[in-house]
């Protein structure tokens, strides 16, 4: 069991739906999106400055690109983002037969594939699945995936050479009061940290045993996602949402929509885990490889010399 955790507001944006945090070590910056606010934010920790790019449609995720700039999921399009000019160019459009869908969470796998999920545009639809958190085990043989409305964290066997998945199974079932599982990250002990939407917490679970090891409480209920960052990758950054709160709840949660930094004596540096997100290249060769569920598709992208 770890020592007590210090939780503080790190980035004040009052996002409608803050999501998808990614740490960039070279610049000591935190990337994240405001889905409903239609913005990509870039916070520099050394200066406490925030830069933002408007996306003109809901933006589900943003990831760094080795050749420069970023790749983001905007509406139903995966786009290249030139940060210096704030210009975007479409790489591919998905779910062309489902105009009410949009891209949601997305991440880069250990060899450079971008995996991205889709969902209906409703904030929290009642009858369709919501593709959310993604991550991979340290040995790259297991892919972890969250379908929020199933209230489970699932695992698949993963072939890093082909990107193929199989053998889906549940590694954790949310307990009463924990809310919906949303975004997640994995630490150097191969344990998952899962943000709990409407649960006001991040839970640390051991996917090998299905046991919850730690609960980090936040001063907001709509916690959405998390990643490790900071100079030694020992800070856990947690995004949150304000959309859906009534006036009374907003008064009780003045920090809703902000991003929090949680500090403690975490076990080991997270550096090796997070760096792959910034180092993998995405140039624009795209194809649909497979379907994880009705709402999550994989789109491998890579450098094509």
């Amino acid at each position: 069991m770890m020592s007590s955790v210090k939780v503080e507001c790190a980035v004040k944006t009052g996002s409608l739906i803050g999501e998808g945090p990614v740490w960039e070590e070279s610049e000591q910056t935190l990337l994240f999106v405001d889905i409903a606010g239609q913005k990509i934010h870039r916070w520099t920790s050394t200066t406490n400055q925030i830069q933002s790019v408007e996306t003109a449609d809901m933006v589900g995720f943003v990831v760094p690109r080795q050749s420069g700039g970023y790749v983001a999921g905007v509406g139903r399009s995966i786009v290249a983002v030139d940060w210096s000019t704030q210009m975007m160019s479409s790489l591919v459009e998905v779910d062309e037969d489902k105009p009410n869908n949009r891209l949601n969470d997305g991440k880069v796998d250990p060899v450079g594939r971008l995996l991205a999920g889709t969902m209906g545009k409703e904030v929290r639809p009642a009858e369709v699945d919501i593709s959310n958190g993604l991550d991979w085990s340290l040995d790259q043989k297991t892919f972890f995936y969250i379908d929020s409305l199933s209230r489970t964290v699932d695992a698949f066997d993963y072939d890093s050479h082909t990107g193929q998945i199989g053998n889906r199974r549940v590694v954790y079932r949310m307990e009463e009061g924990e809310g919906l599982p949303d975004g997640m990250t994995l630490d150097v002990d191969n344990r998952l940290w899962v943000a709990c939407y409407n649960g006001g917490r991040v839970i640390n679970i051991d996917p090998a045993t299905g046991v919850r090891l730690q609960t980090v409480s936040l001063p907001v209920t709509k916690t959405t996602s998390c990643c490790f960052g900071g100079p030694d990758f020992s800070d856990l950054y947690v995004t949150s949402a304000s959309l859906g709160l009534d006036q009374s709840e907003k008064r009780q949660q003045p920090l809703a929509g902000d991003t929090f930094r949680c500090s403690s004596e975490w076990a080991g540096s997270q550096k090796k885990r997070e760096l792959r997100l910034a180092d993998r290249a995405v140039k624009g060769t795209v194809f649909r490889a497979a379907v994880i569920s009705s709402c999550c598709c994989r789109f491998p992208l890579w450098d094509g010399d």
Side-chain angles (χ1 to χ4, degrees):
M1 184 65 65
M2 292 179 290
S3 61
S4 61
V5 179
K6 177 183 178 182
V7 178
E8 58 186 334
C9 179
V11 192
K12 293 187 66 65
T13 57
S15 296
L16 294 176
I17 308 177
E19 256 285 8
V22 178
W23 184 260
E24 294 184 284
E25 186 194 31
S26 60
E27 302 293 332
Q28 291 293 293
T29 55
L30 183 73
L31 283 171
F32 61 100
V33 302
D34 181 349
I35 295 175
Q38 301 182 8
K39 291 180 180 178
I40 300 171
H41 294 298
R42 189 172 185 263
W43 173 68
T44 303
S45 62
T46 54
T47 63
N48 197 32
Q49 292 184 332
I50 304 174
Q51 296 176 308
S52 304
V53 171
E54 296 186 359
T55 59
D57 201 345
M58 288 188 174
V59 52
F61 66 87
V62 61
V63 294
R65 186 178 184 179
Q66 188 178 41
S67 59
Y70 305 99
V71 169
V74 178
R76 290 186 293 107
S77 295
I78 295 176
V79 304
V81 181
D82 185 324
W83 195 262
S84 62
T85 64
Q86 299 198 351
M87 298 295 291
M88 300 182 190
S89 56
S90 179
L91 299 175
V92 66
E93 186 171 305
V94 305
D95 284 358
E96 295 180 4
D97 59 334
K98 299 175 181 177
N100 199 46
N101 273 10
R102 67 167 178 85
L103 285 154
N104 199 37
D105 211 346
K107 274 189 179 179
V108 178
D109 83 352
V111 297
R113 297 182 188 89
L114 173 64
L115 276 74
T118 61
M119 61 173 281
K121 287 184 178 179
E122 297 85 355
V123 175
R124 283 294 181 266
E127 296 181 356
V128 298
D129 296 340
I130 301 176
S131 176
N132 248 315
L134 318 166
D135 217 323
W136 290 263
S137 61
L138 297 178
D139 64 7
Q140 306 179 15
K141 294 181 179 180
T142 304
F143 169 58
F144 298 106
Y145 171 67
I146 288 174
D147 177 347
S148 289
L149 293 188
S150 72
R151 296 180 182 270
T152 61
V153 180
D154 295 347
F156 294 81
D157 293 342
Y158 192 75
D159 186 329
S160 61
H161 298 290
T162 65
Q164 296 301 307
I165 62 173
N167 188 29
R168 185 173 186 170
R169 64 269 189 196
V170 173
V171 296
Y172 185 78
R173 295 186 184 277
M174 302 295 286
E175 297 182 2
E176 185 71 25
E178 286 184 334
L180 295 175
D182 204 327
M184 65 178 163
T185 191
L186 188 138
D187 65 25
V188 293
D189 292 321
N190 227 34
R191 292 167 178 171
L192 295 167
W193 296 79
V194 180
C196 303
Y197 185 86
N198 281 340
R201 69 196 72 184
V202 175
I203 57 173
N204 177 215
I205 62 176
D206 183 349
T209 62
V211 174
R212 183 184 68 247
L213 305 173
Q214 175 96 354
T215 299
V216 178
S217 297
L218 281 294
V220 294
T221 56
K222 297 183 183 297
T223 42
T224 55
S225 192
C226 56
C227 77
F228 284 98
D232 58 359
F233 284 75
S234 61
D235 295 326
L236 183 69
Y237 286 93
V238 184
T239 51
S240 70
S242 61
L243 186 66
L245 297 177
D246 61 30
Q247 291 303 313
S248 175
E249 291 170 325
K250 288 180 179 179
R251 287 192 295 269
Q252 295 170 10
Q253 302 176 48
L255 300 179
D258 293 342
T259 298
F260 300 87
R261 178 170 50 229
C262 305
S263 306
S264 183
E265 296 177 2
W266 312 113
S269 169
Q270 310 303 322
K271 184 174 181 179
K272 292 182 180 179
R273 281 291 305 158
E274 298 293 343
L275 273 179
R276 64 170 169 76
L277 293 174
D279 282 351
R280 298 306 176 184
V282 178
K283 281 190 175 177
T285 305
V286 185
F287 66 92
R288 177 172 299 189
V291 175
I292 296 172
S293 74
S294 61
C295 293
C296 185
C297 305
R298 296 183 298 155
F299 303 96
L301 294 82
W302 69 93
D303 263 344
D305 292 332

